Amino acid sequence: MAEDLLFKTMYQLTAQLKGAPLREDEKQGIAEEFSKASGSPYEKAISAMSGVLHCEPSLILEKSEALESVNKMLQDIKAQADAMAR
């Protein structure tokens, strides 16, 4: 059950980073890369996604951090706009 949820989430994140839905062969590639990778389940997940995306694992982490920053800026803009509306 936990593994199913992990793979579902990996598929969703990989599709977001790719900018398009995953093909079945890409989903299969994630499963294969995950089973071949070493390390913790988290490390294996990052390795599997980066393998399918043909990128360095660090790129996934960098994009995640950038999205967190964007989300924080949007929250700040909303708060500032709400303050102006008062």
Side-chain angles (χ1 to χ4, degrees), residues 3-57:
E3 187 171 306
D4 291 342
L5 183 56
L6 173 62
F7 275 84
K8 181 180 178 183
T9 306
M10 285 191 317
Y11 297 155
Q12 290 172 336
L13 177 56
T14 306
Q16 285 291 320
L17 294 171
K18 178 184 172 190
L22 293 182
R23 300 182 313 264
E24 285 304 314
D25 65 306
E26 291 171 321
K27 290 180 181 180
Q28 199 170 31
I30 288 173
E32 290 171 6
E33 292 282 337
F34 185 88
S35 68
K36 289 190 296 186
S38 60
S40 69
Y42 175 75
E43 293 166 330
K44 291 170 73 167
I46 297 295
S47 178
M49 290 184 295
S50 65
V52 168
L53 293 170
H54 307 287
C55 69
E56 291 295 320

Side-chain angles (χ1 to χ4, degrees), residues 72-85:
K72 170 77 170 93
M73 285 185 272
L74 283 172
Q75 290 174 353
D76 290 346
I77 288 170
K78 183 177 182 335
Q80 293 164 2
D82 288 346
M84 285 179 60

